[in-house]
Amino acid sequence: MSALKFKAEHPMFQYRLEEVPPDLTEWISSFERLLVLGFGGSVLPLRIFVESAGLGEKIICWDRLSRPPFFAQKTLYCVVSKSGETLEVKALLRDLLPDLGPDNLLCVTDPERGALREWQTQNSFRSLPIPQEIGGRFTHFSVFHRALLESQGISMSALLDRAKKKRDALMKDSSELEEIADIFFKPQAPPCFALWAYGAAHEAFAAWAQQALAESLGKKDSAGRRYGKLPFLLKGPQDQHSVLQYLVDGPQNQGLWLMAPKPEVEPPWESSSKIPKFLQTLSGQSLSKIEWILAESTYRSFLESNESGDTHSPLLRWSFSRSLEEMTEKIVVIQAFVEAMGQSWGIDAFNQPGVERGKGIARKLL
């Protein structure tokens, strides 16, 4: 493939945000928990920050079509839909409506138009805008996320600075982007690849990357030529017990992109009780170290199999910590890859016509 050129032309690469009004930050901070209702790009970018910061019990991202739990006290419900027409969100909002009001509802939607914005304005609910020029799957650095994270003492300014530095580095040297393209996106590469993630934060990142890569790059160009490779999500170590056998001895029609945490420095596991003999090999090993061992052994097994010729799966390993800073850098890499790959293929990586068609059919079926 020809070299990819990353130009940072899309507005999201400005990484510039307005400040959150102090009274709104104080109001959000007064709640014991925050429940975010949304689907796809309304929650996947946020979940990366939530899991990386260990805030999963404080900020609950709800993206399933079942009634969310209602907590009688001290819970802020954040309803997120850019158009206000997301069917799943409307259905959940309908079921929760009797319990919601100005004291526990935050609407996050288009700044000017749409059904949710109109309803919010009529009822004087508090609200925050979703940027008009940025699609939901790329709204990691939005004023809504800033409000939630800063209410928990996390500096969004520091993350924005980190994103800018990574953007500038990729504009000077796009080798990271070219590596992804060469392994998974060249014409002769398999039609799909697994995003195999270990740990909650990396699983959240991989789930978003799946959306970003599939929804952005699965397209037709102006001549009707089809492009894209299908990413699918695997969770480790769980899927070592379900899918690994297929990947090793199956038809070899997929790539493998491992995303695993670096081993964390933490006190070794200790117990005052006597350890049974069959557990003694684990003495002194923390759970995070064992997780790293499982991820590393999976990677090395495929590396050795590829080198011996027993398997021939395109293989890439990303080893990075769950820190907000490193997650931010990896987010920028995926964002940059989407823009550069889309331009290389001559497609619009920032629309989603296939999704819109399905939404229209769903509305007609109501």
Side-chain angles (χ1 to χ4, degrees):
M1 295 183 64
S2 58
L4 290 183
K5 294 182 180 179
F6 171 52
K7 304 175 183 177
E9 294 178 340
H10 193 274
M12 68 179 169
F13 294 112
Q14 295 176 11
Y15 299 127
R16 186 170 59 243
L17 275 180
E18 60 187 86
E19 298 291 334
V20 181
D23 62 326
L24 184 59
T25 301
E26 183 179 354
W27 179 65
I28 294 173
S29 301
S30 69
F31 291 91
E32 293 179 359
R33 66 183 63 82
L34 312 171
L35 197 148
V36 181
L37 300 176
F39 284 78
S42 295
V43 292
L44 291 177
L46 173 62
R47 186 176 280 138
I48 299 174
F49 295 134
V50 169
E51 295 296 344
S52 296
L55 294 172
E57 294 184 2
K58 176 75 176 185
I59 303 176
I60 303 169
C61 296
W62 193 267
D63 58 351
R64 66 200 78 169
L65 201 55
S66 59
R67 196 181 194 280
F70 177 74
F71 303 97
Q73 296 179 343
K74 291 295 182 179
T75 298
L76 174 63
Y77 290 81
C78 307
V79 179
V80 186
S81 175
K82 189 170 186 177
S83 67
E85 295 296 340
T86 307
L87 181 56
E88 303 95 322
V89 175
K90 289 169 68 175
L92 295 175
L93 178 58
R94 178 204 62 188
D95 282 8
L96 279 174
L97 202 55
D99 301 315
L100 300 180
D103 294 333
N104 67 346
L105 175 63
L106 177 67
C107 296
V108 185
T109 187
D110 187 278
E112 298 177 359
R113 55 182 179 268
L116 185 57
R117 173 58 66 190
E118 181 179 348
W119 180 68
Q120 173 271 324
T121 301
Q122 292 172 350
N123 292 275
S124 300
F125 298 132
R126 288 180 173 89
S127 70
L128 284 170
I130 296 176
Q132 288 181 318
E133 70 278 11
I134 301 176
R137 59 188 180 273
F138 298 115
T139 53
H140 302 81
F141 306 101
S142 67
V143 67
F144 170 52
H145 294 172
R146 175 171 222 160
L148 295 193
L149 295 178
E150 292 188 347
S151 76
Q152 305 305 309
I154 296 170
S155 171
M156 179 60 86
S157 295
L159 299 183
L160 289 168
D161 288 342
R162 191 76 171 233
K164 291 173 185 176
K165 289 179 181 178
K166 189 62 179 179
R167 172 202 63 196
D168 295 345
L170 290 170
M171 291 178 70
K172 294 177 181 177
D173 179 4
S174 61
S175 57
E176 283 186 81
L177 312 182
E178 291 169 6
E179 181 182 43
I180 298 170
D182 187 58
I183 294 174
F184 298 118
F185 286 85
K186 59 187 177 184
Q188 63 270 35
C192 60
F193 57 93
L195 297 166
W196 198 336
Y198 285 74
H202 291 67
E203 287 174 13
F205 179 87
W208 165 73
Q210 178 187 45
Q211 183 200 21
L213 295 170
E215 198 165 68
S216 301
L217 299 176
K219 302 282 175 63
K220 291 186 288 187
D221 66 12
S222 58
R225 291 183 291 264
R226 296 179 183 270
Y227 293 87
K229 304 288 184 178
L230 176 64
F232 61 95
L233 182 62
L234 296 179
K235 298 180 180 181
Q238 296 92 325
D239 284 322
Q240 290 182 204
H241 302 275
S242 59
V243 181
L244 183 56
Q245 173 60 41
Y246 173 88
L247 297 178
V248 172
D249 287 341
Q252 303 295 294
N253 59 354
Q254 75 289 310
L256 180 59
W257 189 345
L258 278 157
M259 299 179 177
K262 297 175 181 176
E264 298 180 3
V265 178
E266 61 183 48
W269 184 88
E270 296 180 358
S271 174
S272 58
S273 60
K274 185 177 180 180
I275 301 176
K277 184 176 181 179
F278 78 100
L279 297 178
Q280 288 179 0
T281 57
L282 303 180
S283 179
Q285 301 283 11
S286 66
L287 287 178
S288 66
K289 179 65 178 298
I290 293 171
E291 183 178 61
W292 175 83
I293 289 171
L294 290 166
E296 184 68 11
S297 62
T298 299
Y299 169 72
R300 291 187 188 183
S301 67
F302 275 96
L303 186 63
E304 292 176 4
S305 294
N306 278 354
E307 290 174 348
S308 69
D310 188 45
T311 62
H312 46 85
S313 299
L315 183 64
L316 177 62
R317 176 181 60 174
W318 270 10
S319 181
F320 56 106
S321 77
R322 77 172 204 174
S323 72
L324 288 165
E325 293 77 17
E326 287 201 45
M327 284 288 175
T328 293
E329 290 189 351
K330 294 303 184 185
I331 288 167
V332 176
V333 172
I334 297 296
Q335 291 177 338
F337 178 78
V338 163
E339 180 183 275
M341 197 73 241
Q343 291 177 346
S344 175
W345 280 346
I347 61 173
D348 183 350
F350 300 105
N351 65 0
Q352 50 186 52
V355 177
E356 297 303 326
R357 186 181 302 119
K359 289 180 180 179
I361 294 172
R363 285 192 291 269
K364 292 178 181 178
L365 292 173
L366 283 174

